[in-house]
Structures are given as structure tokens and as C-alpha cells.
Amino acid sequence: MNVEKIMADLEAKHPGESEYLQAVREVLESIEEVYNQHPERIFTFRVTWIDDKGEVQTNLGYRVQFNSAIGPYKGGLRFHKAVTPSMLKFLGFEQTFKNALTTLPMGGGKGGSDFDPVGKSDAEIMRFCQAFMLELRHNIGPDQDVPAGDVGVGGREIGFLNGMYQKLARQYHTGVLTGKGMTWGGSILRPEATGFGALYFTQHVLHTAGKDIKDKKIALSGFGNVAWGAATKAVELGAKVVAISGPDGVCEIPDGITKEMIDYMLDMRASNRNKVEDMATKFPGQAKFTAGKKAWSIPCDIALPCAFQNELSEDDAKELKANGCWCCCEVSNMGCQPGAIHFFQKNGVLFAPGKAVNAGGVATSGLEMTQNAAHLSWSAKEVDEKLHWIMENIHEQCVKFGTQADGSIDYVKGANIAGFMKVAQAMLEQGVI
Ligand code: GLU
């Protein structure tokens, strides 16, 4: 985060408001240097487990506890072969601001492992999760650090992790992890929440720009939990999902994704094959697979990156725009490369960043923590209403801090400033610790 850039933007927006600008500069400068580079704590540990052939495998596990000014560390676990401390630090950094935006009392953290779930059996996944928890348990707890899912970690993995935690710690508090199953402390709608929240946010972006989502064509990347939730809500709102993608290529769905296809996304995730081609094999008349292509090659109105960081490049942005795309809401964390964001913003494509768009996931984790702490469960209606309100509020914060002199909204700036101001204030008020 660059203080001078934020200050220049703010000065353009609030000319002459010298006391205000001075206060903001003071906060930003006092925190920036220390904050940007220094998570509060990083744990690194070895994870050894036995594969199905009886051979010993070793991976590295991590938990980055980034910032606890607002509440216990909170953020997902990522299991992916490319995981490094650097990746988890960027995710923990983003998570801290995102969590601040939700209005709920959650600090920021992230963790994971370079374990590659692709091609692993369920038994191997279970043994890995159990071995991972053998170490992680020392540093987590409902008022300390509450991990959840992320790429490669969904309901199945949270189940194995939670089972092992309870066994080792002999503590049966339901609030140690979020994203739990419905029968053991999970919140209704948590699996859907990231995708649902992203679509609620997209609706606000569209309405503010005088547009509507009905009948719009959506291209989305991925076919995991987030893409599944986004596709479900997009169809419910009357949009047409014309593409999904995976590491192997893209499936074009000219007539729009159906309920059966959305359900099948769950089987694809559970198979650990990581191939979107399976959708075209299962629904040959409806989905057409092209190897090596991204979702961004399919003409659409709205692009929703739902898979991995940096998955949408500047060239992809240009191709999207050339094919008629006029809105991109980033659902994955940092899904768009800086060149792509710049291109969208310069060329009139509505753009909103992941830390605002995808905050519904962790927000609903926060709601799960509340239910666990109170030992009760809310109805779907109650959770959905709260999620709606949170996404609307995040949108309002983006508008408040991101409205430009010409009336357009810079959602990147709005989300960054709103999140940062809250964390900075919480840190300053609690002194040098
Ligand atoms: N991994 C998700 C995120 O990036 C969810 C984290 C959580 O629920 O704690 O926000």
C-alpha cells in the first residue's frame, strides 16, 4: 500500500479539508511500514503422513497470524502444490482488510500447505488432514485463531481437521474451525456464502450503474466451492452462465448452465481429478470443452474470476472487452493481475476487487462463530438476510471511500481505504504492543 498514492487520491476528492487529510496521513504513515511487512506471527511445521502405498510423505504446513487488532485471527487454509509463505502472507494481508470490511470482530490470518490434493484418495486426504492438525492445534482456538476452508479445503477437509482437533485437544467447542457440517456446528448457507455474497455485491455494482443482472451472460472460472455458489445464485437471479473453466481448459455452455450441471460441479470437486473436461463428458450436448483455453475467451457481459490469484491477465482483459464484456467482479483473492485491473478501469469496464466481492464467505464464517458462541443455529432466512446486509454495507463503504470527482466509483480504492482505516484505528487505539 502506497501512502502517497492514497493521499493524492484523497486530496483530489477532499480538497482543502486539511485537518481530515492530516489525520489520515498520520494514521497511514504510522502504520504502513510496520504493518505491510510484518505479520504478527508465522508458524511453519513439518507434516508427515502415510500414502496409500504405505510410503511416508512429507509436506510443509503454515499458519500466518497477520493481525488481531479487531478480533481473533480468522482466515482459510489452502492446500495446493504452489503454496509458499509468500502466498500465505499476501492472503493474510488481504484477509485482514476484508475481515475489517465485514463489520464483524475478526482479525486476519491464513494458512495451508504445499500438499497437492489432486489424485489423492479420500483416505489419503484424511490422513494428511489429521497429521496437519497434530501441529496446527497448538495455535488455534475459538478466541485465538479460527481457520476455515480455501482452495483445496472444503467441507470434507474441515470435517477431518475438526475431528482430529477434538480428539487431541479434548475440547468440544464448536467454534475452532468454520465451514463445518450442518450436524456438527456448521452454519446453514456457509458453503454457498462466498458465491452468494459475490452475486449480491455484483447486483449492487450493476444497480449503481443503472443496470440489471437478468439475462446477462456470465463467464466464470473454476468449478470448486466458490464457482458453485456463484453459478447457483447467478442462475437464481436470471443470469446465464455460459462458461466454466479448470486448469485443463474451458467448457462453453451456450444455452446456460443447468441445475444438473451445477450439482455435478460438486462431484467434480469431490473426485480430486481437477478436470473441467468431465463436465463436457457428462453433458456432451450442452457443454463444449476446449483444452488450454480460459473462461475469458468466451463472449460474455460479466466476468467472474472464481479460481486462483492472477488468473486474469491484461491480455485476457483485452479479449473480454473486445468480446463485449463490461463488468468484472473479482471473486477469487487477487484474481486479476494489476495490468488487467488497470485496463478495466481505463476502458470503462466496471471492476470490483476480491476483498469486497468475496467477503461474504468469511462474513458467514463470522456468523457461524456467533452461532457457535451462543450454542444455537439460525435459519437460512436469518443467515441470508444478514449476508445481504453485510454485502450491502461493504458496497456502501466502497462508494463512500471510492467515489471519484467525476462521480464514478473506484471500488479498489474504496475497499482498500475503508478496510485500512478500520484496522489502523483499532491498532492506534490499543497502543504500542
Ligand atoms: N478462504 C476464504 C477467504 O478467502 C474464507 C475464510 C474464512 O471463512 O475464514 O475469505
Side-chain angles (χ1 to χ4, degrees):
M1 188 163 306
N2 178 333
V3 172
E4 290 314 322
K5 167 135 189 0
I6 294 178
M7 288 311 300
D9 288 348
L10 263 187
E11 273 161 24
K13 197 177 141 205
H14 302 276
E17 295 181 19
S18 58
E19 289 90 352
Y20 169 62
L21 292 169
Q22 186 188 336
V24 173
R25 177 179 285 279
E26 229 167 73
V27 171
L28 294 183
E29 283 182 345
S30 59
I31 302 282
E32 189 204 55
E33 194 158 321
V34 182
Y35 186 72
N36 275 358
Q37 294 161 32
H38 301 287
E40 286 170 15
R41 210 169 283 112
I42 304 181
F43 299 104
T44 305
F45 46 92
R46 189 186 64 177
V47 185
T48 42
W49 55 283
I50 310 252
D51 68 16
D52 284 349
K53 294 193 211 91
E55 279 165 24
V56 176
Q57 299 289 339
T58 304
N59 291 96
L60 275 173
Y62 310 93
R63 186 70 183 166
V64 179
Q65 296 186 335
F66 215 104
N67 187 284
S68 58
I70 291 181
Y73 305 102
K74 180 82 197 87
L77 297 170
R78 177 172 291 195
F79 292 170
H80 189 278
K81 60 178 191 274
V83 162
T84 58
S86 160
M87 188 192 291
L88 297 178
K89 273 163 74 181
F90 117 67
L91 287 163
F93 179 77
E94 292 282 299
Q95 193 82 45
T96 301
F97 299 116
K98 179 185 351 190
N99 294 3
L101 285 174
T102 66
T103 70
L104 302 174
M106 300 182 290
K110 203 86 190 188
S113 172
D114 58 2
F115 171 74
D116 182 6
V118 178
K120 302 291 188 298
S121 69
D122 277 5
E124 287 177 322
I125 294 205
M126 181 177 77
R127 287 195 295 273
F128 176 78
C129 288
Q130 292 176 336
F132 185 84
M133 188 50 87
L134 217 46
E135 281 293 328
L136 185 69
R137 68 169 168 136
H138 297 297
N139 302 304
I140 60 172
D143 297 313
Q144 188 181 357
D145 183 350
V146 184
D150 195 80
V151 175
V153 179
R156 170 182 54 191
E157 291 76 12
I158 293 295
F160 297 146
L161 291 162
N162 199 59
M164 195 60 170
Y165 178 88
Q166 312 265 354
K167 176 155 178 130
L168 293 167
R170 299 205 180 175
Q171 280 179 7
Y172 308 100
H173 196 292
T174 45
V176 179
L177 295 160
T178 60
K180 298 180 292 294
M182 296 309 136
T183 54
W184 39 282
S187 172
I188 201 154
L189 285 191
R190 175 62 189 90
E192 293 86 348
T194 310
F196 279 23
L199 266 294
Y200 297 154
F201 194 91
T202 305
Q203 270 191 311
H204 285 297
V205 171
L206 263 49
H207 288 166
T208 308
K211 296 176 186 286
D212 192 77
I213 199 162
K214 201 162 173 356
D215 298 326
K216 299 299 177 300
K217 285 191 198 149
I218 296 183
L220 58 83
S221 58
F223 54 85
N225 170 263
V226 173
W228 165 77
T232 305
K233 188 51 84 176
V235 170
E236 202 181 301
L237 297 174
K240 201 164 152 184
V241 176
V242 293
I244 62 169
S245 66
D248 52 332
V250 65
C251 271
E252 185 175 5
I253 312 163
D255 294 331
I257 204 163
T258 61
K259 163 104 179 53
E260 292 68 38
M261 295 166 103
I262 294 173
D263 288 346
Y264 189 62
M265 285 164 96
L266 296 175
D267 295 347
M268 287 160 65
R269 155 84 173 90
S271 76
N272 301 332
R273 280 170 47 80
N274 211 15
K275 287 196 188 318
V276 80
E277 186 176 7
D278 292 355
M279 182 64 86
T281 311
K282 176 89 177 164
F283 298 92
Q286 291 153 276
K288 183 173 153 278
F289 174 71
T290 309
K293 284 275 184 194
K294 296 189 191 176
W296 323 131
S297 62
I298 307 296
C300 65
D301 299 294
I302 301 166
L304 298 179
C306 295
F308 214 61
Q309 73 259 16
N310 292 326
E311 56 174 309
L312 198 156
S313 69
E314 187 173 344
D315 285 346
D316 295 328
K318 287 178 179 161
E319 186 171 8
L320 278 166
K321 166 88 182 157
N323 284 332
C325 171
W326 46 265
C327 175
C328 173
C329 285
E330 195 181 53
V331 194
S332 43
N333 290 311
M334 224 169 71
C336 294
Q337 294 178 17
I341 298 176
H342 193 71
F343 177 83
F344 286 143
Q345 290 181 327
K346 284 270 162 297
N347 289 278
V349 176
L350 294 167
F351 176 78
K355 70 168 73 65
V357 179
N358 75 28
V362 72
T364 308
S365 277
L367 301 177
E368 184 171 328
M369 288 163 71
T370 309
Q371 293 168 77
N372 293 159
H375 302 284
L376 49 75
S377 344
W378 294 329
S379 66
K381 183 167 172 287
E382 229 167 326
V383 177
D384 198 36
E385 273 170 13
K386 289 187 167 63
L387 174 60
H388 257 290
W389 181 85
I390 289 169
M391 297 317 294
E392 187 179 343
N393 186 278
I394 295 173
H395 185 266
E396 272 168 21
Q397 293 180 67
C398 291
V399 171
K400 178 172 169 202
F401 290 100
T403 301
Q404 304 294 94
D406 65 1
S408 65
I409 299 156
D410 183 337
Y411 284 94
V412 176
K413 192 172 102 184
N416 280 340
I417 296 180
F420 185 83
M421 295 293 276
K422 185 170 169 189
V423 177
Q425 190 187 348
M427 288 176 80
L428 285 177
E429 286 176 7
Q430 293 177 79
V432 180
I433 43 162

